[in-house]
Amino acid sequence: MNEHRPAPESATGKSAGTDQQATGKKPAGSKQVTGTPQYLRWLGILCAVMALFCVGVFLIGYKSPSFGRVATLVLLVAASIFCFWLSKKKAR
């Protein structure tokens, strides 16, 4: 079922794969990820909101702090800090 098909010919007579390798440019249809710092910032905000929700659950007494819940809270806070730091680093 899986057939290997040769790369289509470009206007110069070379296959598209070698044309891309020779110029070092990406094809026009490919998109680069340009919003990485913004994505990381939103991910950091999401982790911070989930950590605040976790603290709220502890404060109102809905669930008691257990090892797993406290570990989740610590990991959410650490992930939030890491995402904010990484977004600042990628923005430079």
Side-chain angles (χ1 to χ4, degrees):
M1 284 189 111
N2 292 335
E3 297 177 14
H4 176 68
R5 297 181 183 173
E9 296 286 325
S10 67
T12 60
K14 297 179 183 176
S15 67
T18 57
D19 199 29
Q20 178 184 352
Q21 292 169 355
T23 61
K25 295 181 182 177
K26 292 187 177 186
S30 68
K31 295 181 180 178
Q32 291 180 338
V33 179
T34 57
T36 304
Q38 184 179 6
Y39 170 77
L40 288 169
R41 185 171 43 242
W42 279 107
L43 191 60
I45 291 170
L46 177 65
C47 288
V49 167
M50 288 192 300
L52 287 174
F53 181 78
C54 187
V55 168
V57 166
F58 292 156
L59 288 178
I60 64 170
Y62 182 70
K63 294 277 186 176
S64 61
S66 66
F67 178 79
R69 292 184 187 113
V70 172
T72 301
L73 174 64
V74 169
L75 286 176
L76 283 171
V77 170
S80 179
I81 292 169
F82 179 72
C83 286
F84 283 128
W85 173 77
L86 200 57
S87 73
K88 296 282 185 191
K89 184 178 177 182
K90 295 267 184 188
R92 292 183 199 162

